[in-house]
Amino acid sequence: MTEEYYLAETKPIDHDNSVDAGIQECLHLGSGKSFITFAGAGSGKTYSLKEALDFLKGRYWADFSRQGKKIAVVTFTNNAADEIKDRVEQNTVFAVSTIHSFCWASIAGFNEDIRKWYLETLPSDLERVKDEERRGRVGKASDARRRTIIRLAEKMEWLAEPRSFIYDPNGVNSSNNSLSHADVLKIFSHFLTTKPMMKEVIVNKFPFIFIDESQDTNVDVVNAFFDLKDTKPDKVVIGLFGDTMQRIFGGGEVELGKAKPSGWKTFNKEMNHRSARRIVGLGNQIRSENDGRSQYAKDGSAEGHVRYFLLSHDDFVKQDVEEKIRKTMSEVTGDAGWIDAKSEETAILLLEHKMASRRLGFDELWEKLSVSPKIKDRISEGDNAELNFFSGIVSPLADASREGRRADLMSILRENKSPLLEANLLNDNKDDPLSAARAAEHAFRGVVSSEEVSFREVLEVLAEHNLLKIPEKLKSFVSGSDEDDIEGEPKEDSDEKDDSEISAWAEALETDFFQIRNYKDYADGNSIFRTHQGVKGNEFERVMVIMDDDEAGGFLFSYEQYFGAKEISKASQKKLDAGEEIGIDRTRRLFYVTSTRAKSSLAHVIYTSDVSKVKECLLTKKFAREDEIIEFGNLR
């Protein structure tokens, strides 16, 4: 049997050097040559970005320093921004930031324009919550929605006069003048496309703009940059770095590259410096159904290992089965690292946070929150302000309080601008300025000393004693308003499903607070488990991918449909015939991302309703050789 489908060809390690040279040809003031660099898994995207930045530093650093100009590098996450800052050695000619921070820096100070934007958009937000309230059930979620309606109406009244605004990157500040992540992106995109002065300011300050992970960058923001380049073709060079096959998060540009304006140059990086030949070959075969781009492994690469473990839905403990599979992989590869449950070079990839929650012990919290699709999406992007508040601020505060670590406790309160440490309050009690903070912390410690305390009880003591600023959505649950103060008549109960964020938090707040420890360990990467989506950009010596649609319970991805075990719906077929994206397209990209994280060995664990159909699909699509497929019965 031919190996062309299974083992990638190899090329010298310097095969893509011409790409970096081509990028550098664009990097001249007034060149008019903006570009998109497509860089697949393990291709050295960050290396090419670093080469471009070094080139610009050598050519323009002195002039830009005198002129107050900078080279903008926009990334998707704080971690990516920190990595790039380290690589450019914190050189001040580079303005490295997340897309949210860049957009805020661009609109900060346009207070009157921001006020008008809110006055144009808030009425629809208010009507949406009112509609949710009309359709929702009576109860705590309804109370919170009604308070939200009041607060939105009050904000519109507050906006009747000139105001100034701030950006709250942590999503904790609930004041009327605080802008959220989403609003910052929306306002920036609107302003950049409608205000000529903003275009002029940006191109004068940033003659070169680089956008990393451009496939995941908000589509409105990307289009605003396209418009900027179209309007100021000789005053700015914009470089996008990314890979459409690795588009994971919602809101990204679906047709990046196809929808780009004319005149943009395109570069393709063809090397995979990360993975063994078998793994690169699998990635190529997956992409053959999509954009047809393929990669080479570097000369001298090992063959590597890929195995598929097919399991019917059965009555067994999945953790035990998966442990057995890891032992099998250790035997197949001769790599003892597969059975080291704490190895930093091993990753077990789960389709949903829900699957990790069951294995790690925060399942009750997750079950309640995942009712809301919006919360699920934000958590997958690491961007849920309310959950981050509990995991990143309240949980460390609780541990410091319980353990009597006073210095750490005060550091957390200062860093998060506790209202009890504000200057005016401290000055009011000069004899003992920290008395209020001590009393509040004492009350907090009394609550968190119980192992059975709920999120609601913790939230209430924080709010009652003003120990921390409460995020806006959570503030609805600790308002001092009585039901009699809330406008509107009580509703009769309804059987209609309420999947709003407010309803989800109303239920989640009743669960055990100390689940947050397990969630935090997971979110911080201190576990062998990770999600399919969250692992993008990472690499590991060995990777196990667990595919289980039934356990995941999601609707955005379907491995059962992708591998032919289930037929796609008529509605999905209609979208497919119309050229629209469906779950199979998203699943294919996810399959590519997970398959290409491994350096040496890869195990796909597929729980399915039809083992024979999945096996047939894997062989037909040439994702697997016959001897790479192991049915669970053969492991018993």
Side-chain angles (χ1 to χ4, degrees):
M1 182 179 291
T2 178
E3 290 290 274
E4 64 178 300
Y5 298 107
Y6 307 106
L7 297 180
E9 294 182 45
T10 63
K11 292 285 184 181
I13 195 170
D14 61 357
H15 175 73
D16 281 335
N17 284 6
S18 60
V19 170
D20 295 324
I23 291 173
Q24 290 173 16
E25 289 179 4
C26 300
L27 302 181
H28 302 277
L29 288 173
S31 72
K33 297 179 181 178
S34 289
F35 61 91
I36 300 177
T37 300
F38 291 96
S43 63
K45 169 177 63 69
T46 305
Y47 173 84
S48 289
L49 175 57
K50 171 67 162 52
E51 287 288 291
L53 297 178
D54 284 346
F55 177 83
L56 287 174
K57 181 177 68 173
R59 178 174 287 269
Y60 294 113
W61 176 77
D63 289 343
F64 282 9
S65 296
R66 287 195 305 270
Q67 298 165 3
K69 298 181 184 292
K70 291 183 178 291
I71 298 159
V73 186
V74 182
T75 69
F76 196 71
T77 66
N78 286 314
N79 288 340
D82 291 340
E83 180 184 353
I84 294 172
K85 287 176 184 177
D86 289 340
R87 293 205 181 197
V88 298
E89 300 175 342
Q90 307 287 336
N91 192 295
T92 56
V93 76
F94 301 115
V96 184
S97 64
T98 63
I99 186 64
H100 300 91
S101 296
F102 179 88
C103 291
W104 166 244
S106 300
I107 65 174
F110 287 80
N111 292 307
E112 183 59 18
D113 296 293
I114 294 173
R115 183 178 75 93
K116 290 179 180 178
W117 182 87
Y118 270 118
L119 286 172
E120 293 171 359
T121 58
L122 275 182
S124 61
D125 292 340
L126 181 58
E127 184 55 39
R128 174 181 53 78
V129 180
K130 285 181 177 179
D131 183 59
E132 289 176 352
E133 173 60 8
R134 285 191 292 267
R135 295 184 294 104
R137 299 180 183 181
V138 66
K140 292 177 180 177
S142 176
D143 296 342
R145 279 192 298 270
R146 292 158 78 186
R147 293 187 181 105
T148 299
I149 290 170
I150 293 172
R151 189 158 54 252
L152 287 175
E154 290 175 346
K155 184 166 183 175
M156 291 187 66
E157 292 181 10
W158 178 83
L159 288 164
E161 299 178 9
R163 302 292 184 180
S164 60
F165 297 88
I166 62 172
Y167 170 47
D168 177 31
N170 295 318
V172 172
N173 195 327
S174 59
S175 59
N176 282 325
N177 69 335
S178 177
L179 272 64
S180 68
H181 282 327
D183 285 353
V184 165
L185 298 183
K186 291 175 184 176
I187 294 169
F188 170 81
S189 303
H190 178 70
F191 285 6
L192 190 57
T193 53
T194 61
K195 297 185 179 299
M197 179 59 71
M198 178 168 284
K199 289 184 172 71
E200 199 66 31
V201 168
I202 286 181
V203 298
N204 284 336
K205 185 172 183 179
F206 303 112
F208 298 95
I209 301 173
F210 297 98
I211 303 175
D212 193 20
E213 298 291 359
S214 52
Q215 77 280 351
D216 281 325
T217 303
N218 178 274
V219 60
D220 293 332
V221 173
V222 171
N223 287 332
F225 279 116
F226 282 161
D227 180 74
L228 175 66
K229 172 60 183 173
D230 187 52
T231 308
K232 305 285 185 180
D234 298 323
K235 290 190 173 183
V236 65
V237 172
I238 301 174
L240 307 185
F241 292 81
D243 179 18
T244 51
M245 195 65 181
Q246 297 186 69
R247 180 171 58 85
I248 295 298
F249 301 117
E253 172 57 80
V254 177
E255 297 292 328
L256 187 65
K258 297 178 183 178
K260 73 180 189 302
S262 60
W264 283 61
K265 295 185 69 66
T266 299
F267 300 104
N268 297 301
K269 301 203 72 175
E270 297 179 331
M271 290 295 295
N272 184 312
H273 300 276
R274 170 189 299 154
S275 302
R277 293 181 65 195
R278 178 66 189 96
I279 296 167
V280 179
L282 173 59
N284 291 343
Q285 196 60 18
I286 297 169
R287 291 194 82 138
S288 68
E289 298 181 320
N290 187 269
D291 58 13
R293 298 178 189 274
S294 63
Q295 291 183 304
Y296 301 105
K298 61 185 178 184
D299 283 347
S301 295
E303 180 172 327
H305 302 272
V306 173
R307 292 293 184 274
Y308 297 85
F309 297 85
L310 308 187
L311 302 93
S312 61
H313 296 298
D314 205 344
D315 185 19
F316 48 69
V317 179
K318 292 179 179 178
Q319 288 92 319
D320 293 344
V321 173
E322 291 156 14
E323 183 177 354
K324 193 166 187 176
I325 289 173
R326 288 168 56 202
K327 290 179 180 178
T328 300
M329 286 300 296
S330 179
E331 295 168 1
V332 167
T333 62
D335 179 2
W338 269 106
I339 56 177
D340 181 0
K342 295 184 178 180
S343 172
E344 294 182 356
E345 280 298 319
T346 303
I348 300 177
L349 309 186
L350 305 167
L351 184 55
E352 288 277 0
H353 296 290
K354 174 182 181 179
M355 298 165 70
S357 74
R358 290 175 177 172
R359 288 164 172 82
L360 294 175
F362 57 93
D363 48 318
E364 191 180 7
L365 170 65
W366 176 252
E367 289 288 343
K368 302 300 184 184
L369 289 179
S370 62
V371 169
S372 166
K374 287 184 179 179
I375 291 179
K376 286 183 69 173
D377 288 346
R378 289 185 185 138
I379 292 177
S380 70
E381 299 175 17
D383 192 25
N384 184 273
E386 297 76 39
L387 193 54
N388 291 345
F389 169 72
F390 282 119
S391 65
I393 301 174
V394 183
S395 179
L397 186 71
D399 289 342
S401 181
R402 284 164 56 102
E403 296 165 13
R405 292 185 277 112
R406 313 298 299 177
D408 291 343
L409 190 146
M410 290 301 296
S411 177
I412 294 170
L413 294 178
R414 288 193 189 97
E415 183 179 342
N416 293 283
K417 297 180 173 57
S418 168
L420 298 182
L421 300 183
E422 292 178 358
N424 60 339
L425 184 61
L426 298 178
N427 291 334
D428 287 344
N429 190 358
K430 296 189 181 205
D431 291 337
D432 189 1
L434 294 178
S435 59
R438 279 199 305 275
E441 189 271 327
H442 179 76
F444 176 70
R445 184 169 67 253
V447 169
V448 298
S449 292
S450 168
E451 289 292 334
E452 298 179 357
V453 66
S454 70
F455 280 91
R456 181 181 293 279
E457 291 171 298
V458 173
L459 185 66
E460 285 175 348
V461 73
L462 290 172
E464 179 184 352
H465 295 276
N466 213 19
L467 193 59
L468 289 171
K469 294 179 180 177
I470 308 298
E472 184 172 357
K473 288 189 180 69
L474 296 178
K475 198 172 183 181
S476 298
F477 297 97
V478 293
S479 171
S481 301
D482 296 325
E483 284 196 30
D484 292 340
D485 297 328
I486 303 173
E487 296 180 3
E489 295 296 325
K491 305 193 310 298
E492 294 183 3
D493 202 355
S494 168
D495 292 330
E496 186 174 352
K497 179 183 178 183
D498 186 348
D499 62 358
S500 69
E501 294 178 77
I502 293 175
S503 177
W505 271 111
E507 297 294 327
L509 288 174
E510 304 304 329
T511 68
D512 176 15
F513 169 73
F514 284 108
Q515 293 175 91
I516 201 66
R517 291 171 173 164
N518 299 329
Y519 171 79
K520 180 173 172 55
D521 281 344
Y522 168 64
D524 289 347
N526 297 327
S527 159
I528 199 169
F529 296 105
R530 292 166 173 79
T531 61
H532 291 202
Q533 301 92 325
V535 80
K536 185 169 67 72
N538 297 134
E539 58 183 38
F540 307 90
E541 198 66 35
R542 55 201 78 83
V543 170
M544 175 189 284
V545 186
I546 298 176
M547 290 167 269
D548 188 340
D549 289 354
D550 283 2
E551 186 182 4
F555 60 90
L556 292 176
F557 307 100
S558 176
Y559 283 106
E560 286 284 77
Q561 291 182 0
Y562 181 58
F563 292 128
K566 290 184 178 179
E567 297 292 329
I568 65 173
S569 68
K570 291 182 179 179
S572 292
Q573 185 62 54
K574 187 175 181 180
K575 286 184 176 181
L576 188 63
D577 294 340
E580 298 179 35
E581 180 175 280
I582 63 172
I584 285 179
D585 300 307
R586 292 187 290 268
T587 305
R588 181 186 298 113
R589 293 198 303 271
L590 204 59
F591 186 46
Y592 174 80
V593 168
T594 56
S595 296
T596 55
R597 298 309 95 191
K599 298 178 184 177
S600 300
S601 54
L602 171 68
H604 281 304
V605 181
I606 305 174
Y607 294 93
T608 177
S609 59
D610 196 324
V611 168
S612 61
K613 284 187 177 180
V614 172
K615 181 175 181 179
E616 179 185 0
C617 174
L618 293 172
L619 294 172
T620 301
K621 290 177 178 290
K622 295 185 170 52
F623 291 162
R625 304 176 176 112
E626 184 84 34
D627 63 355
E628 292 176 332
I629 300 175
I630 302 172
E631 297 182 40
F632 178 65
N634 297 329
L635 288 176
R636 290 185 188 273

